[in-house]
Amino acid sequence: MESAHAAGEQTAGKRHGEPLDAIDEMIGLWRACLPEAEVRSLEVVSRMLRITRLFDRDRDKTLSRFGLEPWSFDMLAALRRDPRQRSTPGDLMAATLVTSGTMTTRLKSLEHRGWITRTPDPDDRRIVVVELTTAGRKVTDEAFGEVLACQRELIRSLSAEEFRAAAQILKKILLDHEGPARLP
């Protein structure tokens, strides 16, 4: 239980001399209504979720200026990162975590916009090859530069040391839950 002095500091918008954020406020409210609940995880997880929402909001605005939605950018970016800038619908499904029905609809939309082509594989006509067009590469590269700018803006308050520490901590969490990457 916090001392009266600490509670007074928190009410004044500070705790231990540091300003409170929306998550501190939420945690305080949970502690007040469910004092027996262990809410420490909220300090990290809720902040990660809130930061993600802030980034998503800014990224979505940025992508809309290029006529892109988050899903269309993710698909084009997956193709752009591939050294051949081509893939199969199955590989794109794995990269973007969507179902085959959703993939078909999305590929049709991207093809209609002139950002990809779909052609039968010359070696196996049962397989469709999805390839990034020049227009698709151009819109992806331009949007990617702006998305990176959104990311830099979001983390601008971190020092170089804080940046490295945050990256390592987040990597540790991901490795614990996903394991190491399985690069080809």
Side-chain angles (χ1 to χ4, degrees), residues 2-183:
E2 292 185 50
S3 69
H5 181 270
E9 266 194 306
Q10 189 164 352
T11 305
K14 291 192 176 203
R15 182 176 176 191
H16 307 297
E18 294 180 9
L20 297 178
D21 65 7
I23 303 305
D24 290 320
E25 182 179 358
M26 177 187 68
I27 290 169
L29 292 169
W30 276 118
R31 284 184 173 143
C33 72
L34 289 174
E36 69 282 359
E38 176 50 61
V39 295
R40 273 182 9 148
S41 62
L42 294 173
E43 293 185 51
V44 173
V45 176
S46 292
R47 284 188 175 98
M48 288 190 313
L49 290 170
R50 192 167 178 95
I51 289 166
T52 298
R53 286 185 194 118
L54 290 169
F55 172 70
D56 285 347
R57 181 195 64 199
D58 292 345
R59 181 199 58 191
D60 293 354
K61 278 191 238 176
T62 296
L63 291 176
S64 70
R65 293 195 320 258
F66 294 93
L68 294 164
E69 306 82 10
W71 68 262
S72 59
F73 178 72
D74 289 345
M75 296 269 296
L76 294 172
L79 284 167
R80 182 66 174 103
R81 287 189 306 266
D82 187 291
R84 302 164 299 147
Q85 296 183 13
R86 55 185 277 168
S87 190
T88 65
D91 288 341
L92 286 171
M93 282 172 36
T96 58
L97 304 174
V98 298
T99 64
S100 62
T102 300
M103 179 58 62
T104 300
T105 302
R106 290 179 175 184
L107 290 174
K108 283 180 185 177
S109 175
L110 294 174
E111 187 174 41
H112 178 74
R113 297 186 219 183
W115 292 333
I116 65 161
T117 58
R118 293 185 294 170
T119 56
D121 186 311
D123 299 326
D124 185 347
R125 307 235 355 122
R126 295 171 296 169
I127 298 173
V128 172
V129 175
V130 180
E131 196 163 4
L132 200 58
T133 65
T134 301
R137 188 171 23 266
K138 182 177 189 284
V139 74
T140 304
D141 289 355
E142 289 174 2
F144 183 58
E146 294 297 317
V147 168
L148 288 175
C150 286
Q151 290 177 353
R152 285 190 301 271
E153 176 62 22
L154 189 64
I155 60 171
R156 73 178 186 267
S157 63
L158 297 180
S159 69
E161 184 178 321
E162 290 168 331
F163 174 85
R164 283 189 298 277
Q168 284 301 308
I169 290 166
L170 295 172
K171 181 178 181 178
K172 182 177 182 176
I173 293 169
L174 285 176
L175 283 171
D176 183 47
H177 291 275
E178 296 180 344
R182 292 167 182 78
L183 300 175

